[in-house]
Amino acid sequence: MMAHWRTSLESKLILRLAGIHGLALLIGFLALARRHYLLRHGISDTIVVWAFPLFALAVLGVVIYTVRASLRPLIAASRQAAAIVPGKAGARLEAGTAPAEIMPFIHAVNEALERLDQAFQAQRRFTADAAHELRTPLAILTAGIEALPPGDAVTRLGEDAARMSRLVNQLLRVARLDGQPLPDMQVVDLGALAAEVVGHMAPWIYRQGREVALEAPKPPVTIPGDAEALSGALRNLIENAVHHAPTGTEVLIAVSAQGSISVIDHGAGVPQDQRAQLFERFWRAPGTRRQGAGLGLSIVAAVAQAHGASIAVEDTPGGGATFVMAFTRQERP
């Protein structure tokens, strides 16, 4: 009981304020003794009169410092709680030198965070397991459709199977990105990565009736990152741009020397009131006709966050949308 009281906020305030009170009594007694001495010897006590306001200010300052120092552990705990964001697995409040009164609260919050982490992990495992289980039947289904005689119905079935396969692959990416650290970061050249992705996607882009172009500086633009995750994010951005760009227009992928990748189209653009929801999972713009689950841009946002990068959408001059992923440069030795 005594040990608990010594570590409590109550005991710290009582002891500190008691110390201030004792110091005030001592100084007051010394001031009175000095005044008595001065009066006894006929010396002016003007200095004593000025000393009391200064002493009052000093006591006020000590009281303010005492209260702030006593509440500092509470402020630190609130800042730790505010820094906890979705996907930050293992984040907990640190007890440190927190007063005994809030220790049960810190333990309760940490236990709640532990339960939430377990629930998120179970959800990720379910998503990943379900997606894995669906891949094989989908591959068999796709192969069976391709073996059927050509026709409109077969073409539609093939398109549906392709959409299902894409959704399954997106679910797998989401499960891998959610709260899971990326593999060891390697040095990635954004220009070379963009050139590789554009080269692989160019035939598909041309079949959609769009053009594609790449602009990148000759010197390498290197960042620490995971090439596979970054390639997937860039593919999603390019697919999104192609689907929203008018037929016959060009989609431009631009790599800057400052360490950013921009995907630029000349479509209808993104209204201001939709930009805050654009990177949310399963969100689709009202009235959109394109079939999809609304996961592509959320995967881009997750990859950017894992790399400490920012993702934003801007207006393209002349009309359209420009998606920009901005990274922190890493100079080569």
Side-chain angles (χ1 to χ4, degrees), residues 1 4 31 34 74 79 86 92 143 161 173 176 181 186 192 205 244 261 263-264 272 275 280 283 288 303 312:
M1 185 69 179
H4 179 274
R34 185 175 185 279
L74 295 175
R79 288 176 178 169
R92 300 292 184 271
R173 291 176 191 169
R176 289 167 183 162
Q186 305 293 328
I205 295 173
H244 289 88
I261 299 180
V263 178
I264 306 165
Q272 287 287 345
R275 295 184 182 183
E280 294 179 3
W283 183 86
T288 182
V303 172

Side-chain angles (χ1 to χ4, degrees), residues 120-132 167-181 281 295 298-299 302:
F120 283 134
Q121 289 171 9
Q123 183 183 31
R124 287 194 294 268
R125 285 195 298 268
F126 171 78
T127 302
D129 292 344
H132 274 296
L167 175 58
V168 167
N169 289 330
Q170 287 181 329
L171 289 173
L172 279 173
R173 291 176 191 169
V174 168
R176 289 167 183 162
L177 288 170
D178 272 351
Q180 301 294 331
R281 288 179 185 173
L295 285 172
S298 69
I299 291 174

Side-chain angles (χ1 to χ4, degrees), residues 34-86:
R34 185 175 185 279
R35 185 172 185 273
H36 177 72
Y37 174 81
L38 294 175
L39 291 175
R40 185 175 180 181
H41 292 82
I43 304 174
S44 172
D45 60 349
T46 304
I47 297 178
V48 176
V49 174
W50 283 102
F52 276 103
L54 295 176
F55 173 69
L57 290 174
V59 171
L60 177 63
V62 173
V63 169
I64 293 174
Y65 170 78
T66 298
V67 172
R68 293 188 66 178
S70 300
L71 296 177
R72 194 173 292 129
L74 295 175
I75 296 173
S78 67
R79 288 176 178 169
Q80 291 174 15
I84 297 175
V85 294

Side-chain angles (χ1 to χ4, degrees), residues 46-297:
T46 304
I47 297 178
V48 176
V49 174
W50 283 102
F52 276 103
L54 295 176
F55 173 69
L57 290 174
V59 171
L60 177 63
V62 173
V63 169
I64 293 174
Y65 170 78
T66 298
V67 172
R68 293 188 66 178
S70 300
L71 296 177
R72 194 173 292 129
L74 295 175
I75 296 173
S78 67
R79 288 176 178 169
Q80 291 174 15
I84 297 175
V85 294
K88 193 175 182 180
R92 300 292 184 271
L93 299 183
E94 296 179 4
T97 58
E101 286 90 345
I102 69 167
M103 289 299 292
F105 172 74
I106 291 178
H107 290 318
V109 170
N110 286 340
E111 289 173 0
L113 291 172
E114 177 66 26
R115 292 192 294 271
L116 287 174
D117 275 352
Q118 292 175 358
F120 283 134
Q121 289 171 9
Q123 183 183 31
R124 287 194 294 268
R125 285 195 298 268
F126 171 78
T127 302
D129 292 344
H132 274 296
E133 290 296 324
L134 287 170
R135 293 183 77 178
T136 300
L138 275 173
I140 296 173
L141 177 63
T142 301
I145 292 173
E146 292 175 350
L148 293 174
D152 292 341
V154 174
T155 300
R156 289 194 295 271
L157 285 174
E159 292 173 351
D160 290 339
R163 281 193 292 271
M164 291 176 65
S165 297
R166 185 171 184 273
L167 175 58
V168 167
N169 289 330
Q170 287 181 329
L171 289 173
L172 279 173
R173 291 176 191 169
V174 168
R176 289 167 183 162
L177 288 170
D178 272 351
Q180 301 294 331
L182 290 173
D184 293 336
M185 298 289 189
Q186 305 293 328
V187 176
V188 177
D189 180 1
L190 292 179
L193 181 140
E196 181 180 359
V197 172
V198 169
H200 286 158
M201 296 189 69
W204 174 80
I205 295 173
Y206 293 134
R207 286 197 301 271
Q208 306 305 310
R210 279 75 170 176
E211 303 291 329
V212 64
L214 172 65
E215 291 182 357
K218 290 184 178 180
V221 181
T222 56
I223 65 164
D226 177 70
E228 182 179 356
L230 291 172
S231 296
L234 183 56
R235 283 195 300 270
N236 284 347
L237 286 177
I238 295 175
E239 286 179 6
N240 181 75
V242 168
H243 285 298
H244 289 88
T247 302
T249 61
E250 181 183 79
V251 173
L252 173 64
I253 295 84
V255 178
S256 75
Q258 289 71 38
S260 68
I261 299 180
S262 301
V263 178
I264 306 165
D265 68 65
H266 297 281
V270 181
Q272 287 287 345
D273 59 348
Q274 295 181 6
R275 295 184 182 183
Q277 301 170 284
L278 196 59
F279 298 99
E280 294 179 3
R281 288 179 185 173
F282 303 108
W283 183 86
R284 298 176 65 197
T288 182
R289 295 182 180 179
R290 181 191 169 196
Q291 296 183 354
L295 285 172
L297 292 180

